[in-house]
Amino acid sequence: MMRREKKRFREKKKEKEKKEKTKMKRHPEKNKKADAKHPGVKLGRYCIERDISVRDIAERFGVSRMTIYKWFTGEWFPREPHVNEIVRYLRTSVSK
């Protein structure tokens, strides 16, 4: 019985991760239409090109996934500490 529960749990977790990765792929038009000078939009384009999940970015910056979506579409502007962190992230990631 325990093995079945563990297997179901792993399957649900994989399914959830797969959904999360595809979520931003549903809204790339919003990112394309947004102002390219916006740091959150730049980050969004970078992540879309490299297939980086919203969950990973949210964990990296210590914010919610909803916040990341709003940054990616340009609806919200990141606060100053996050802007600096985004700039550093993009610089170090691009130079790798």
Side-chain angles (χ1 to χ4, degrees):
M1 189 75 168
M2 290 286 275
R3 288 183 185 175
R4 286 184 191 167
E5 289 174 5
K6 285 182 181 180
K7 185 176 179 180
R8 283 188 202 136
F9 177 77
R10 277 186 259 132
E11 288 172 355
K12 283 184 179 182
K13 187 176 178 183
K14 283 182 183 180
E15 188 177 309
K16 187 176 180 181
E17 288 173 356
K18 186 178 177 182
K19 282 182 183 180
E20 186 62 41
K21 277 191 171 185
T22 59
K23 256 186 182 176
M24 191 58 205
K25 291 179 184 177
R26 292 184 216 156
H27 303 290
E29 324 75 55
K30 285 186 177 182
N31 182 269
K32 288 178 184 175
K33 292 177 184 176
D35 181 13
K37 294 179 183 177
H38 190 290
V41 174
K42 285 182 184 179
L43 178 64
R45 291 180 183 175
Y46 177 84
C47 292
I48 291 169
E49 288 172 5
R50 287 159 182 80
D51 199 32
I52 300 171
S53 75
V54 171
R55 190 184 96 237
D56 292 342
I57 294 298
E59 287 175 5
R60 167 74 171 78
F61 290 98
V63 297
S64 69
R65 292 187 314 263
M66 184 179 126
T67 298
I68 297 298
Y69 286 118
K70 299 288 185 174
W71 288 358
F72 282 10
T73 60
E75 292 178 50
W76 289 357
F77 197 86
R79 292 192 176 142
E80 192 63 33
H82 289 121
V83 171
N84 296 333
E85 200 172 337
I86 289 170
V87 170
R88 276 195 305 274
Y89 178 79
L90 293 175
R91 277 189 197 150
T92 58
S93 298
V94 170
S95 64
K96 287 183 180 180

